[in-house]
Amino acid sequence: MDPSELQELAARERAAQPKIVIRTCMSTACLAVDSEPVKAALDAAVEETGLKDRVKVVGVGCLGLCGKGPLVAVDPTGELYQHVTPEQARSIVSSVAGGPVTAERLDPTSPFFSKQVAVVRENSGMIDPERIEAYIAADGYVALTTALRDMSPSDVVDAITASGLRGRGGAGFPTGLKWAMVAKSPSDRKFVVCNGDEGDPGAFMDRSILESDPHRVLEGMAIAAYAVGASQGFIYVRGEYPLAITRLKKAIQQAKRLGLLGAQILDSSLDLRIDLRIGAGAFVCGEETGLLASIEGRRGTPRARPPFPAERGLWGFPTVINNVETLANIPTILRKGPEWFASIGTERSKGTKVFALAGKILNTGLIEVPMGMPLRTIVEEMGGGVAVGKAKAVQTGGPSGGCIPAALFDTPVDFEALAQVGSMMGSGGLVVMDEADNMVDVARFFMEFCTEESCGKCVPCRAGTVQMLRMLTRIADGEGHEEDLETLESLCTMVKSASLCGLGQSAPNPVLSTLRYFRHEYEEALRRRRSSHEESGDKAGDSAG
């Protein structure tokens, strides 16, 4: 396929669109609450009412408000319906002819939707993720065409650098700088790797992107390959994401069929093969060197750096490794320009961030917001606040992040601001806790996770996390000692500074942040122990008397 044929395909697909499109979420969250029968009922109702020439039912990716599924949207009227049943689905179709609707409406102008800025998620919930034609009609592969036809590889690297895009996997390393390091390498063999090993509790951003818009990630990888001179790519996805894997496989096959992967892509000199690698669910394989080891067929354990993957990656060759969301930004940056992207966000944190809202909050689901938006806006306006009482804290960054108290909800969401309050961006999980949550238990939960997921390669993480978990358990169970808090902080410092990889280095963050902001809850647990021992002593004295 050449660029002119790509344009013709896009035009045909757009011309074939009917007047009315009913979009049904077919992503994991909605499928789990039976969106498949809802779509079947919509299809049957269109057939029965003779509206096939005017109405089309499309299964789409995530519509965002995951806790209210199954979700159904109607274009061009803009109606959005929640908790739709097959019976209500029929009424949605009949409404096209003026009939009443029994389904419950959602307000598409509510803060949950109106405060979002769609960059990565611009196609999510809008197109059929299983049809490459739908992606092409939505300007898919236009950015790749522009790069191959009008830009040199160094021009592409410069554009990504100018955009200010930073890695969305958590560390926030400048993407353009990483690409430049690989591009400048004289090696005749290079790789591009997509890290889809999303393992943080409460996080499902990458899964949703892969399920909703897989071709966006493939296009981002192809642009990266052109920019750095790679001819082989790998997408590493955890095995717990079967729908994402199925749609990725289909997307790769479709792209090959149309000549958008393979040899001489779009009549250019770019040759690129992309293969899938399925992870077995080890959290440590989200760490880039552990992930590369797993792709190579070895045990997924991290190694010391330097050298970094950009210097010595897969099989010792220079490798670009970006996470799903990072790569999904690339096509939009090239289509709309690096200046446009850089105009969103803050001075040092450009663009948007996708978050998975979870926990004790009314509106759970996926949002994409400009960097710099205050946590308070996300929790209280977009999330709708908590159901009972008040929000107590927000955990960002998963087991690598920290707990931010309600008093600091005016903190802007960007890399620097979150680090200053003892947390981190992480991959984008955002878990809201209310006043019923005990923060010692929260710290123990995350430490238990880190203990179980430690690969055991280095002693500080292998032994340190176990000792911290034991100490947290004693404190939470009312068996702690006064000196435990000082010992716990000392252990945190040791593990943070001496561990080999990011898992161990960040494992103490939830403990340190809860000690910093909720120390009184630790002290209350210690007082419970004293009270219990004093009461036991009194009873023993009474018995003796």
Side-chain angles (χ1 to χ4, degrees):
M1 175 176 284
D2 62 31
S4 63
E5 291 172 321
L6 188 72
Q7 291 175 349
E8 290 171 7
L9 177 57
R12 286 198 306 271
E13 182 71 13
R14 292 181 193 123
Q17 284 295 321
K19 293 181 179 179
I20 299 172
V21 177
I22 300 177
R23 294 179 280 121
T24 310
C25 178
M26 299 296 284
S27 233
T28 292
C30 282
L31 286 170
V33 288
D34 293 334
S35 66
E36 203 161 17
V38 169
K39 184 178 182 299
L42 288 166
D43 285 326
V46 169
E47 183 76 32
E48 292 165 6
T49 52
L51 294 171
K52 287 185 71 174
D53 59 331
R54 294 178 55 203
V55 180
K56 182 179 182 181
V57 179
V58 178
V60 297
C62 180
L63 282 161
L65 203 52
C66 305
K68 309 254 184 212
L71 296 170
V72 175
V74 181
D75 296 328
T77 55
E79 281 100 346
L80 181 61
Y81 301 96
Q82 64 179 335
H83 302 310
V84 179
T85 65
E87 295 73 26
Q88 293 169 337
R90 292 177 176 274
S91 75
I92 293 173
V93 174
S94 68
S95 70
V96 173
V101 180
T102 59
E104 185 181 354
R105 280 187 171 88
L106 275 168
D107 181 6
T109 65
S110 69
F112 182 90
F113 297 104
S114 64
K115 291 187 178 293
Q116 295 199 43
V117 174
V119 178
V120 169
R121 285 178 45 80
E122 64 179 340
N123 293 333
S124 293
M126 301 299 295
I127 66 170
D128 182 347
E130 299 192 6
R131 294 185 66 247
I132 190 172
E133 296 83 2
Y135 180 70
I136 290 172
D139 291 330
Y141 293 103
V142 166
L144 178 60
T145 303
T146 300
L148 296 176
R149 184 182 57 195
D150 302 330
M151 304 171 75
S152 68
S154 61
D155 288 338
V156 175
V157 173
D158 290 344
I160 300 306
T161 303
S163 74
L165 176 66
R166 296 170 64 175
R168 297 303 196 245
F173 191 81
T175 303
L177 179 57
K178 182 181 286 190
W179 288 17
M181 292 170 66
V182 178
K184 291 174 183 175
S185 170
S187 175
D188 59 356
R189 191 179 184 193
K190 302 174 185 178
F191 295 94
V192 172
V193 174
C194 172
N195 183 351
D197 192 63
E198 179 178 57
D200 290 2
F204 50 97
M205 302 76 53
D206 291 349
R207 185 200 75 200
S208 175
I209 294 166
L210 293 173
E211 290 177 357
S212 303
D213 204 3
H215 284 284
R216 171 178 291 272
V217 179
L218 297 183
E219 185 177 8
M221 290 183 71
I223 293 168
Y226 173 67
V228 305
S231 58
Q232 172 71 60
F234 290 97
I235 305 179
Y236 190 95
V237 185
R238 58 196 301 111
E240 293 91 335
Y241 287 176
L243 183 60
I245 291 168
T246 297
R247 289 181 176 169
L248 273 172
K249 286 179 178 178
K250 186 172 290 189
I252 291 170
Q253 290 170 354
Q254 292 171 344
K256 285 179 180 176
R257 174 171 52 83
L258 293 184
L260 296 167
L261 284 178
Q264 297 182 327
I265 295 171
L266 291 168
D267 279 352
S268 74
S269 61
L270 175 63
D271 299 336
L272 178 63
R273 170 175 174 161
I274 293 180
D275 292 315
L276 275 178
R277 289 293 182 268
I278 312 303
F283 181 70
V284 75
C285 285
E287 194 277 339
E288 58 184 14
T289 61
L291 183 150
L292 296 179
S294 182
I295 291 177
E296 292 172 352
R298 298 184 290 114
R299 182 185 176 196
T301 55
R303 63 164 172 79
R305 297 172 298 173
F308 294 94
E311 303 163 283
R312 288 181 58 83
L314 273 176
W315 294 288
F317 295 99
T319 301
V320 163
I321 178 165
N322 292 128
N323 93 317
V324 170
E325 186 180 342
T326 307
L327 289 164
N329 272 289
I330 302 301
T332 311
I333 290 173
L334 289 199
R335 274 193 289 109
K336 297 189 176 183
E339 298 81 8
W340 171 84
F341 186 84
S343 70
I344 305 169
T346 65
E347 183 178 353
R348 296 180 63 188
S349 298
K350 305 294 187 183
T352 61
K353 182 71 189 78
V354 179
F355 285 100
L357 279 178
K360 306 285 189 65
I361 196 164
L362 290 177
N363 299 329
T364 57
L366 285 175
I367 58 170
E368 185 173 3
V369 298
M371 289 279 198
M373 178 175 281
L375 278 170
R376 190 177 305 282
T377 302
I378 294 173
V379 174
E380 296 179 0
E381 295 183 42
M382 302 182 74
V386 298
V388 179
K390 297 179 180 178
K392 181 178 187 176
V394 163
Q395 167 80 9
T396 66
S400 301
C403 296
I404 304 171
L408 295 178
F409 277 6
D410 290 322
T411 300
V413 172
D414 63 38
F415 291 102
E416 286 70 35
L418 290 178
Q420 285 173 5
V421 297
S423 190
M424 66 183 297
M425 184 77 69
S427 57
L430 200 156
V431 182
V432 180
M433 289 158 276
D434 66 12
E435 293 168 320
D437 289 305
N438 181 282
M439 304 310 288
V440 181
D441 288 334
V442 169
R444 177 169 60 169
F445 166 79
F446 283 110
M447 189 52 61
E448 186 175 28
F449 179 88
C450 290
T451 300
E452 291 177 355
E453 295 295 340
S454 173
C455 74
K457 183 173 182 177
C458 72
V459 174
C461 178
R462 181 178 73 234
T465 54
V466 171
Q467 293 304 318
M468 286 191 287
L469 176 60
R470 288 176 179 170
M471 207 166 294
L472 286 166
T473 299
R474 285 203 306 270
I475 294 170
D477 291 346
E479 297 297 328
H481 300 274
E482 293 286 348
E483 61 272 18
D484 281 350
L485 297 189
E486 185 177 338
T487 305
L488 187 58
E489 287 178 310
S490 177
L491 263 174
C492 285
T493 301
M494 183 277 293
V495 173
K496 195 176 183 71
S497 60
S499 291
L500 174 64
C501 79
L503 173 68
Q505 291 163 9
S506 59
N509 286 350
V511 181
L512 290 170
S513 63
T514 51
L515 279 168
R516 178 179 176 181
Y517 297 116
F518 301 97
R519 196 180 191 90
H520 60 282
E521 297 196 18
Y522 286 85
E523 293 168 345
E524 285 171 10
L526 294 176
R527 281 196 295 271
R528 285 200 306 273
R529 179 182 185 276
R530 287 200 303 269
S531 300
S532 144
H533 278 255
E534 288 168 3
E535 186 177 333
S536 299
D538 290 342
K539 287 180 179 178
D542 290 343
S543 299

